[in-house]
Amino acid sequence: MRPWRGAFLALLVLTPAVAEARPLRVLSLDQCADQYVLALAPEAELALSSRADDPDSWMREAARGRPRVRPTLEAAIGFQPDVVVRYWGGEPRLLAALDKRGTRVLAVNDATDMRGVRENLRAVSQGLGQEARGAALIAHMDRRLAQAAGGGRGREAVYVTPGGYTTGAGSLIDSILKAAGFRNGVTGSGYQPLGIEKIALSPPALFVRGFFQQWRADWRGPGRHPVVARAAQGRTVADLPAATLSCPAWFAADAAVLLADAAR
């Protein structure tokens, strides 16, 4: 065989292997998607959002040193992702272009309970080819929920944010309260203003605060009003870190453990 023919055949054989050896290229369009891709596909070539290592990012340590891109069409064209993961991020022009190009887009859905979180983990891990990692996170989550169970001993508690908002049934916060053994003191469903007047007249038995550790989080909001502060004094079960609440993900179970441990 002539030397050039041997080289040519070797090139034909090697080229597919080189293409297959390239790591999966994953574009994350927002901070919540960052959590999923960092946990499920750390070996992939990741392009994360600008908020990947913010204080309210659960996977912030794993995000350090990773490339960041803006969630725009131009950035996506430059990165050429194999897979895109999103919760809320991505401009309409980008999403339309991804759909037109046939790029796989994996959605993190707005889960309102732990079952929804499990479904997110299964869907995203399957889309990334990491079913085993997804199953391991679900198992970890279930162990944490078992650890949290009963901590609140059925007592009534009300969630409050610096902006003065709370939530009733049909939210992940409600699911966290119940997982930690508490009864939600809010009767209405979904997110709603807590109301300073209502707190002054009939303060909740117990408070669970969220996002208060963030210096930038509504620092003049109703949740920081002196009336609310006085009512919460001696009645606050726990200040849940923003990193446990910023995304419908497996670390909601860690929030339940923190709450249950504080109650005990």
Side-chain angles (χ1 to χ4, degrees):
M1 182 183 291
R2 294 183 182 179
W4 66 267
R5 284 186 180 176
F8 179 70
L9 289 173
L11 181 62
L12 288 178
V13 171
L14 289 173
T15 299
V18 171
E20 289 174 6
R22 182 178 73 79
L24 186 72
R25 197 168 286 168
V26 182
L27 173 63
S28 169
L29 294 183
D30 52 67
Q31 188 194 45
C32 185
D34 294 335
Q35 315 308 304
Y36 276 82
V37 301
L38 284 165
L40 293 170
E43 299 93 351
E45 188 176 340
L46 302 178
L48 305 175
S49 81
S50 60
R51 293 194 56 211
D53 64 350
D54 278 8
D56 59 344
S57 171
W58 183 258
M59 299 290 294
R60 58 188 176 275
E61 294 298 329
R64 285 178 184 159
R66 297 273 193 170
R68 315 292 166 80
V69 298
R70 295 178 59 205
T72 63
L73 176 58
E74 292 75 15
I77 290 173
F79 184 63
Q80 296 184 344
D82 301 309
V83 184
V84 173
V85 183
R86 69 182 296 267
Y87 175 43
W88 55 264
E91 59 182 11
R93 191 169 62 113
L94 167 59
L95 299 178
L98 292 172
D99 183 62
K100 186 176 180 180
R101 290 166 180 256
T103 303
R104 277 193 302 145
V105 178
L106 306 177
V108 177
N109 292 318
D110 192 17
T112 58
D113 54 28
M114 300 299 173
R115 182 177 63 179
V117 172
R118 292 186 192 95
E119 290 172 356
N120 275 335
L121 283 167
R122 290 189 189 100
V124 178
S125 63
Q126 183 178 17
L128 294 172
Q130 297 290 344
E131 291 91 340
R133 278 207 179 102
L137 277 178
I138 290 171
H140 164 80
M141 176 179 158
D142 288 342
R143 287 193 298 271
R144 296 293 271 169
L145 290 173
Q147 185 180 342
R153 302 192 302 278
R155 290 175 293 172
E156 184 179 286
V158 168
Y159 173 76
V160 63
T161 69
Y165 277 82
T166 187
T167 183
S171 68
L172 191 56
I173 293 295
D174 180 68
S175 186
I176 290 170
L177 289 174
K178 290 175 179 175
F182 286 90
R183 179 166 49 89
N184 195 337
V186 177
T187 55
S189 62
Y191 286 87
Q192 55 195 279
L194 185 57
I196 294 173
E197 295 83 2
K198 184 178 179 180
I199 291 176
L201 294 172
S202 181
L206 295 170
F207 286 86
V208 174
R209 307 200 313 171
F211 296 96
F212 275 79
Q213 296 165 345
Q214 284 187 288
W215 67 269
R216 64 184 183 184
D218 302 326
W219 68 281
R220 286 184 176 177
R224 298 187 189 274
H225 193 280
V227 169
V228 181
R230 283 194 297 271
Q233 189 171 5
R235 297 180 179 180
T236 298
V237 181
D239 274 299
L240 296 179
T244 64
L245 306 173
S246 59
C247 174
W250 65 96
F251 36 83
D254 291 273
V257 171
L258 289 170
L259 180 53
D261 287 348
R264 293 182 179 116

